[in-house]
Amino acid sequence: KLWGPPLAAAARSTMAAAMMQKTSSSMLATRAQRPRVAGRTVVKAQATDKLWVPGAARPSYLDGKSLAGDYGFDPMGFGADPVALKWYRQAELMHARWAMLGVAGILAQEVANPDQFWYTSGLPENLPEPFNRPEALGGLLAFEFCLMHWVEVRRWMDYKNPGSVNQDPVFTSNKLSNPEMGYPGFDPLGFYKGDMTEMKTKEIKNGRLAMFAFVGFTLQAQATGKGPLASLGAHLANPFGDNIGANIGHCVTPSSANIGGLTIPLTCLWPGHA
């Protein structure tokens, strides 16, 4: 009887403390669990989403998955219209592929024939026989126009009705898989191994770099009158005297060119040119 009340009181105090600790722990766990889980989810999403500028807001119409090389870049909102976005992607693909061919051709031509300036290589006097004659040059341009027109019309048809031009109009047994517009299954070297996502991303990345490179080659040619490799050599020989700052405002492009008796005015895109 002497020890009963103290022991009972101690037991009650111990049980109350345990219950309070359990309740408090549960409340803290509930309050802490939600933000931690949500925080991890947000961080993970931000870590896997590649954007053109860290922290930039991704437009709702660019999900980062539907288009290869999509990093959420559209500061002017041109792609908000789904129809326009589809056309812009095809235009970017075509420009990227032409730029890659052009840049490779400029570099190869300068290596193979460094005495010929690539910027003037298309003038009649620099063309081989018989294309350097005015009448032959006109025929060449007409032939190129007809071929390009035919190809672009068929590409437009595929844009309006995907898959409608997969079959050769002459040799009907020849068909293309054309799983997606802009990717007609062209793979002569067999690089395609099943998943085109990585290949499409590499292509558009290299194409974008080539477009920038071609603009740089053009401005460089207008300012210095040299090809890219010759300009690089001049810069390495004199880094402080032959660089972009020293060439601003210079332009060696003639004011006009005479092709087959037709005078074509020319302009210089380099900034600062009067």
Side-chain angles (χ1 to χ4, degrees), residues 218-225 241-253 268-274:
T218 302
L219 294 176
Q220 189 178 60
Q222 293 179 345
T224 66
D242 197 327
N243 52 50
I244 187 172
N247 290 322
I248 290 180
H250 294 178
C251 185
V252 298
T253 301
C268 191
L269 303 178
W270 193 236
H273 172 62

Side-chain angles (χ1 to χ4, degrees), residues 12-262:
R12 287 195 297 269
S13 299
T14 303
M15 292 176 63
M19 291 178 64
M20 291 177 64
Q21 183 178 5
K22 183 177 180 180
T23 303
S24 177
S25 300
S26 300
M27 292 176 64
L28 289 174
T30 302
R31 293 173 59 187
Q33 184 177 6
R34 293 176 182 173
R36 287 179 181 176
V37 172
R40 286 196 299 269
T41 303
V42 172
V43 170
K44 183 177 180 180
Q46 291 177 347
T48 56
D49 190 12
K50 298 180 180 179
L51 296 170
W52 67 286
V53 170
R58 174 180 287 280
S60 59
Y61 49 86
L62 297 176
D63 57 12
K65 300 177 182 179
S66 303
L67 300 175
D70 173 15
Y71 299 104
F73 178 79
D74 189 17
M76 304 298 292
F78 291 139
D81 181 1
V83 177
L85 180 61
K86 181 181 176 182
W87 177 252
Y88 290 147
R89 168 37 57 106
Q90 297 307 310
E92 183 184 33
L93 271 177
M94 291 300 103
H95 283 82
R97 289 166 180 169
W98 279 116
M100 286 189 284
L101 288 173
V103 167
I106 290 170
L107 294 174
Q109 183 266 324
E110 188 170 1
V111 171
N113 186 14
D115 294 331
Q116 176 58 56
F117 183 32
W118 74 269
Y119 195 78
T120 60
S121 59
L123 294 176
E125 59 268 23
N126 295 324
L127 295 176
E129 286 281 354
F131 302 111
N132 54 0
R133 303 172 186 173
E135 61 276 10
L137 182 61
L140 177 63
L141 292 176
F143 181 70
E144 291 179 350
F145 176 82
C146 291
L147 288 181
M148 292 297 294
H149 177 73
W150 183 76
V151 170
E152 286 301 306
V153 166
R154 289 184 64 83
R155 190 165 70 89
W156 173 256
M157 292 168 61
D158 189 42
Y159 170 78
K160 298 296 290 185
N161 185 15
S164 61
V165 294
N166 291 355
Q167 186 176 14
D168 192 298
V170 179
F171 304 97
T172 56
S173 59
N174 296 334
K175 298 181 180 180
L176 295 173
S177 58
N178 199 17
E180 181 182 348
M181 185 185 174
Y183 301 95
F186 179 77
D187 186 23
L189 299 179
F191 290 127
Y192 172 60
K193 302 300 182 183
D195 184 13
M196 290 183 61
T197 304
E198 183 179 0
M199 298 297 292
K200 289 190 292 185
T201 302
K202 289 181 178 179
E203 180 190 36
I204 199 63
K205 281 184 175 181
N206 283 279
R208 288 165 179 169
L209 287 174
M211 287 188 281
F212 276 106
F214 183 79
V215 172
F217 287 1
T218 302
L219 294 176
Q220 189 178 60
Q222 293 179 345
T224 66
K226 301 176 183 177
L229 298 181
S231 295
L232 176 62
H235 172 68
L236 293 177
N238 184 14
F240 298 102
D242 197 327
N243 52 50
I244 187 172
N247 290 322
I248 290 180
H250 294 178
C251 185
V252 298
T253 301
S255 59
S256 64
N258 187 282
I259 301 178
L262 178 64

